[in-house]
Amino acid sequence: MNKAFTKETDSDGDDDGADGASPPIPAGGKNYITPQGYARLRDELLHLMDEERPKIVETVHWAAKNGDRSENGDYLYGKKRLREIDRRIRFLTKRLEIAEVTDPSVHHGRDQVFFGATVLYADEAGEERSVTILGIDEAESAKSQVSWISPIARALLKAREGDVVKLVTPGGAHEVEILSVSYPAPGSAGTA
């Protein structure tokens, strides 16, 4: 069989989470995202399509002209990188198509927890933590951001300042008290 008709094997499969960075969207769920998160994903997609992919295509084309492709590192690496870029482009395109852009600043001044809220809470030991509830594709745990499908976000959503909610974890159920809720001001750059 001609090699052109064989299936690629480097991490082929479902593009939802092909890069390992984002979990799949829950069945029947929506892909909520802030305007800032949407812009970042769109910018990444455009960068891949307009800058990075054309450079790799040029490298692969040049390397292909150099003879034996089986021992040509530029060709082999270029083809592998091209598959990675194409996989990421498909993933970003799908995620942006189903994205539901939600501006958290519409809740500015409210004390109830919705998407985009920054919540200060205290656990049973009195330790205070702050999290910002964002979209699956934009939350970064290193910045105290959690996705809206995370256990802590699900426990906090729709509660109000002063409420005590139950957080179910693999280690058991815990109670957390919501100390404050804030949102970005309308027209601000947001929390993302």
Side-chain angles (χ1 to χ4, degrees), residues 2-25:
N2 186 333
K3 185 152 175 96
F5 296 105
T6 60
K7 184 175 179 182
E8 299 289 352
T9 58
D10 289 349
S11 301
D12 270 357
D14 191 6
D15 286 332
D16 265 355
D19 62 344
S22 300
I25 297 167

Side-chain angles (χ1 to χ4, degrees), residues 61 99 102 150 190:
H61 179 67
T102 304
S150 68

Side-chain angles (χ1 to χ4, degrees), residues 73-157:
D74 288 330
Y75 178 80
L76 296 174
Y77 171 75
K79 289 292 282 184
K80 181 176 188 277
R81 181 67 186 130
L82 200 53
R83 285 191 304 271
E84 292 168 356
I85 290 170
D86 288 344
R87 193 175 301 117
R88 184 69 179 163
I89 287 172
R90 284 191 308 272
F91 174 79
L92 290 170
T93 301
K94 285 181 183 179
R95 288 302 246 249
L96 289 170
E97 284 174 355
I98 63 170
E100 186 159 325
V101 179
T102 304
D103 188 359
S105 67
V106 299
H107 299 294
H108 183 71
R110 298 182 73 183
D111 70 345
Q112 190 171 13
V113 181
F114 294 108
F115 178 82
T118 298
V119 183
L120 177 65
Y121 66 92
D123 61 18
E124 294 165 332
E127 187 177 331
E128 293 183 4
R129 294 190 180 130
S130 178
V131 294
T132 301
I133 302 170
L134 296 176
I136 295 168
D137 298 317
E138 62 184 326
E140 295 180 41
S141 60
K143 294 181 179 179
S144 296
Q145 299 170 343
V146 296
S147 76
W148 64 273
I149 64 168
S150 68
I152 186 65
R154 287 180 182 245
L156 296 172
L157 284 169

